[in-house]
Amino acid sequence: MADLTITDVRLTPVLISDPPLLNVQGVHQPYTPRLVVEVVTADGTTGVGETYGDTKYLELARPYAELLPGHSVADLNGLHTLAQQVGVDDARVEHAIDVGGLRGVQTADKLRLSVVSAFEVACLDALGKAYGLPVHALLGGKVRDHVEYSAYLFYRWAAHPGGAGESDDWGAALDPAGIVAQARRFVRDHGFRSFKLKGGVFAPEQEIAAVRALAEAFPGQPLRLDPNGAWSPGTSLRVAKELEGLLEYLEDPAPGTSAMAEVSAGTDVPLATNMCVTTFPEIRQAFLTDAVQVVLCDHHYWGGLRNTRELAAVCRTFGVGLSMHSNTHMGISLAAMTQVAATVTDLDHSCDSHYPWQTEDVITRRHTFEDGRLEVSDAPGLGIDLDREALDRLHRRWLDEAAYGAMRDRDDAAAMRRAEGREDWTAPALPRW
């Protein structure tokens, strides 16, 4: 019988290249931090997980990892109990905006969940390998063989200013024509059949024009717009009226549950969120006030894959739709997303993913989208293998504090300030319009 006792935990922070993608906070940095978690059992089985790599996550992950030797990878409930033993500097995180995820107010409890999520995935990966089962089997079994993803469109610059970061051949997308061209490439390269535009960058009229251009270029295909709380309820209602009949849903147009409820009461366009509902205590107000009709789950936010399934059950109970949020992730997280998405019966909308924008990874074989979908792996665990050479290379970049230390914490506003001619930029107060 396999010995499932954890004997070692390895934490490897990395910096991965990121294009100059724009949002309401500013612009993505040339490199973004991620944390790779490995748990090793007594019989030599290794499981892997991934989450945010910013300093505040590392400061919690390190003492948490020290508690795990002697713990069984099968004791998944115990992971959350152990997390409560690790203190969090509340003054550092409470009421701070998490610009990396644009997820609203950050708290100590949310921080713990985001850290535990990576360890839970690593334990599930190890457990699946030990028993020769895919993670989806450990979650109750898959209900679909493929998971559909959506093209994630961004306003962007052609390159990071000053030659920073890695170059690509996407070019700039700063107007409706540029967004449509970007969408066409996503279709050509990956076969996506739905499109999400990250808004909140330009005045609402310009973003309305971009959605209309997408609707003309891709008639009948699902479209989404996400301004990350950039608009007041009045502006949100005006945009909703302009785009009625074109949007699958409008995501977080206004900041906070109360503002979203005000918008919801004035439009039939479905509202989605990954900002005002990111933990179980936030569900009650949002659902009882009909503030949102779609929740974008994210196992990093919610504390793992099993909590994601619990969220799905709550949404089903209240008749609220379910989709899946994405952060700037690598292939470990995408594998975990796909495994849990395969088990959710009522996954009503295609999932988000930044993955096509990420050119660097730590797995031996990149995920490949076909017809906008990923095949659900039936291999043991997550069905992926670490590329040790790539992991080491990206970790060495993180270690080079002189060259990359400013990017160990993602800060889109700071990245905008570092851009040429934008020294005075500050992240705008929300709502912006």
Side-chain angles (χ1 to χ4, degrees), residues 21 103 152 183 336-337 356 382:
L21 309 178
R103 60 185 283 191
Y152 208 153
M337 292 165 62
L382 292 174

Side-chain angles (χ1 to χ4, degrees), residues 362-403:
V362 295
I363 60 176
T364 56
R365 186 176 64 178
R366 281 186 64 87
H367 300 287
T368 302
F369 296 95
E370 295 185 4
D371 295 325
R373 305 185 301 171
L374 285 184
E375 184 176 3
V376 179
S377 172
D378 291 323
L382 292 174
I384 58 172
D385 295 303
L386 275 182
D387 182 333
R388 294 285 174 186
E389 182 178 344
L391 181 65
D392 182 61
R393 175 174 55 83
L394 298 179
H395 179 54
R396 289 198 306 271
R397 181 187 287 159
W398 183 90
L399 289 172
D400 187 351
E401 186 170 5

Side-chain angles (χ1 to χ4, degrees), residues 207-387:
E207 296 181 356
I208 290 170
V211 172
R212 287 176 172 162
L214 287 168
E216 182 177 353
F218 304 97
Q221 293 183 255
L223 304 176
R224 311 162 183 177
L225 176 59
D226 173 20
N228 282 121
W231 305 333
S232 69
T235 299
S236 301
L237 286 168
R238 177 168 59 83
V239 174
K241 183 176 181 180
E242 292 280 350
L243 296 178
E244 191 171 8
L246 298 182
L247 290 178
E248 178 185 15
Y249 56 69
L250 182 57
E251 182 181 339
D252 287 308
T257 298
S258 297
M260 289 282 285
E262 183 178 345
V263 178
S264 179
T267 182
D268 292 327
V269 175
L271 301 187
T273 188
N274 77 279
M275 292 179 67
C276 62
V277 179
T278 59
T279 62
F280 287 100
E282 293 171 332
I283 289 176
R284 179 180 175 86
Q285 180 187 4
F287 285 13
L288 292 182
T289 60
D290 194 32
V292 298
Q293 291 75 50
V294 180
V295 170
L296 278 73
C297 61
D298 185 321
H299 73 271
H300 307 88
Y301 289 8
W302 293 85
L305 307 187
R306 296 179 313 132
N307 276 5
T308 300
R309 284 184 46 79
E310 290 185 12
L311 169 64
V314 175
C315 289
R316 183 166 59 249
T317 300
F318 283 86
V320 172
L322 195 71
S323 185
M324 187 171 287
H325 170 258
S326 163
N327 54 67
T328 307
H329 57 79
M330 299 184 296
I332 301 171
S333 280
L334 184 56
M337 292 165 62
T338 302
Q339 287 287 314
V340 70
T343 71
V344 176
T345 304
D346 300 318
L347 189 65
D348 307 287
H349 309 273
S350 59
C351 304
D352 292 347
S353 178
H354 284 71
Y355 193 70
W357 289 113
Q358 314 312 138
T359 58
E360 297 181 318
D361 210 337
V362 295
I363 60 176
T364 56
R365 186 176 64 178
R366 281 186 64 87
H367 300 287
T368 302
F369 296 95
E370 295 185 4
D371 295 325
R373 305 185 301 171
L374 285 184
E375 184 176 3
V376 179
S377 172
D378 291 323
L382 292 174
I384 58 172
D385 295 303
L386 275 182
D387 182 333

Side-chain angles (χ1 to χ4, degrees), residues 198-211:
K198 177 65 74 176
V201 177
F202 297 112
E205 290 73 20
Q206 183 167 338
E207 296 181 356
I208 290 170
V211 172

